[in-house]
Amino acid sequence: MKMSEFGDVDDLFEDLFRFAERLLEQPLLPERARGAELQPAQRKEPDEVVLGRDDVTYLLHAPGYDSNDFLVSVYDDSIEVKTNEFIRRKMLGSGVHPESAVTTYRTGVLSVRMKRRDA
């Protein structure tokens, strides 16, 4: 059976087989990542964004941490929270003034309050 556009079917399968062999010869991880320790699975701490009339509040329920464990970065329309155990990125649903962010951590809840741009 011949394929007019692609040539012989046997040739097509031979090419595919050689391609698969070359892929299997490649290392699965980049050179710099081989031998590195495995990272723990990301924790899925519940979070939410509360849109107020004048501000946006991001709440992350993360019990068992110290307030110094969090590195919070606020951007025009998103937030990023890092700890040694996880990274959380979230769209805020509204533009904010990043310099207005006030962060508190009480009773296991990280709260970041920001002024809305459109308020």
Side-chain angles (χ1 to χ4, degrees), residues 29-36:
L29 297 173
E31 192 68 37
R32 59 182 154 73
R34 269 189 260 142

Side-chain angles (χ1 to χ4, degrees), residues 75-86:
Y75 305 99
D76 290 335
D77 61 354
S78 64
I79 189 167
E80 179 180 82
V81 178
K82 294 181 185 180
T83 71
N84 286 337
E85 296 179 4
F86 67 88

Side-chain angles (χ1 to χ4, degrees), residues 1-13 15:
M1 176 178 176
K2 297 271 185 189
M3 293 177 61
S4 60
E5 194 173 322
F6 300 104
D8 190 282
V9 173
D10 291 334
D11 291 340
L12 183 63
F13 282 110
D15 290 343

